[in-house]
Amino acid sequence: NAGVTQTPKFRVLKTGQSMTLLCAQDMNHEYMYWYRQDPGMGLRLIHYSVGEGTTAKGEVPDGYNVSRLKKQNFLLGLESAAPSQTSVYFCASSFGHLSTDTQYFGPGTRLTVL
Amino acid sequence: AQTVTQSQPEMSVQEAETVTLSCTYDTSENNYYLFWYKQPPSRQMILVIRQEAYKQQNATENRFSVNFQKAAKSFSLKISDSQLGDTAMYFCAFIRSGQNFVFGPGTRLSVLP
């Protein structure tokens, strides 16, 4: 049982390049989330999904897109990377929705945009 | 909007001693949940403890306990018998039903040998 995994662990992009971060969970969780973490700040929610085929915007969705084609996977895309998107990205999943259930986090992806 | 404040950016404690991390939050809601997450150097976010606002009894998990003061909107974390492995960033988080998590900015805790 691997829990929540993220690929890649590190990535360096040039401004304007695109990339996709992959999150996978093997706990059969319905809910999945993408956060970003910046120095001196807590995690901020980018997008989330309440089930296969669904996505919703979080607190800071601009510049990102997501897809949940399979229940176990949640993809985060950057179409045209900007230096402001330099951050550590965390994926999380939970069985229930947000409030009552603990979120399980992946190990994070460190992204640098030059 | 809900906010979470952690007023101690950094703290240190000697091994085997006790340390308390502070967290305050702002909400007009009555039913909500509070969490402490730990983020060691490996960056993995790990749940330490959670508290339901409707429960008066403070949550406890082994060496970790909270002091939940609902009227004061305070949710501090006490770590007893600190161990070197407790060195990490600690995030306080707030959530209410149907809403997203709100995380505090974190407190960096160093446990000194």
Side-chain angles (χ1 to χ4, degrees):
Chain A
N1 195 344
V4 180
T5 58
Q6 293 180 231
T7 52
K9 289 185 170 55
F10 303 93
R11 187 70 185 270
V12 178
L13 290 178
K14 295 181 180 178
T15 296
Q17 287 185 318
S18 63
M19 78 162 294
T20 300
L21 280 64
L22 172 63
C23 176
Q25 53 93 6
D26 61 2
M27 296 175 282
N28 201 34
H29 284 171
E30 288 292 333
Y31 300 91
M32 297 187 74
Y33 316 87
W34 276 107
Y35 291 91
R36 61 178 288 173
Q37 183 181 32
D38 300 297
M41 303 181 70
L43 278 71
R44 293 182 294 168
L45 184 65
I46 304 171
H47 286 281
Y48 64 98
S49 169
V50 301
E52 182 178 320
T54 74
T55 63
K57 294 181 179 179
E59 181 184 356
V60 287
D62 294 342
Y64 305 95
N65 57 76
V66 288
S67 64
R68 183 100 180 267
L69 298 179
K70 293 183 179 180
K71 185 177 183 179
Q72 63 268 34
N73 297 336
F74 194 31
L75 279 63
L76 177 70
L78 287 72
E79 289 187 349
S80 180
S84 61
Q85 294 177 305
T86 293
S87 189
V88 180
Y89 291 86
F90 286 93
C91 176
S93 70
S94 64
F95 182 74
H97 183 47
L98 295 173
S99 61
T100 60
D101 278 358
T102 300
Q103 293 192 10
Y104 295 84
F105 286 84
T109 295
R110 184 177 294 279
L111 175 65
T112 302
V113 183
L114 302 176
Chain B
Q2 279 72 228
T3 59
V4 177
T5 302
Q6 294 178 248
S7 59
Q8 306 148 315
E10 294 189 24
M11 294 189 72
S12 62
V13 62
Q14 291 294 134
E15 195 175 4
E17 293 188 346
T18 296
V19 64
T20 298
L21 281 58
S22 301
C23 172
T24 58
Y25 56 93
D26 182 29
T27 183
S28 57
E29 300 296 324
N30 193 45
N31 294 318
Y32 49 87
Y33 301 81
L34 295 160
F35 299 78
W36 278 98
Y37 278 91
K38 167 185 177 182
Q39 187 181 40
S42 65
R43 293 208 314 261
Q44 183 87 31
M45 292 282 284
I46 303 165
L47 176 68
V48 176
I49 201 165
R50 59 177 276 167
Q51 174 84 41
E52 292 86 350
Y54 63 85
K55 290 187 178 179
Q56 292 185 342
Q57 186 173 8
N58 290 326
T60 299
E61 287 289 342
N62 301 315
R63 297 182 295 107
F64 299 88
S65 61
V66 298
N67 183 4
F68 175 46
Q69 301 290 329
K70 192 173 183 179
K73 296 179 184 177
S74 171
F75 184 60
S76 60
L77 175 70
K78 185 172 81 170
I79 305 174
S80 304
D81 186 25
S82 297
Q83 301 176 359
L84 296 178
D86 295 334
T87 292
M89 283 287 288
Y90 287 81
F91 292 96
C92 179
F94 166 100
I95 193 169
R96 65 180 180 91
S97 180
Q99 300 298 315
N100 297 324
F101 267 93
V102 178
F103 286 85
T107 295
R108 184 178 302 280
L109 176 68
S110 298
V111 179
L112 308 174

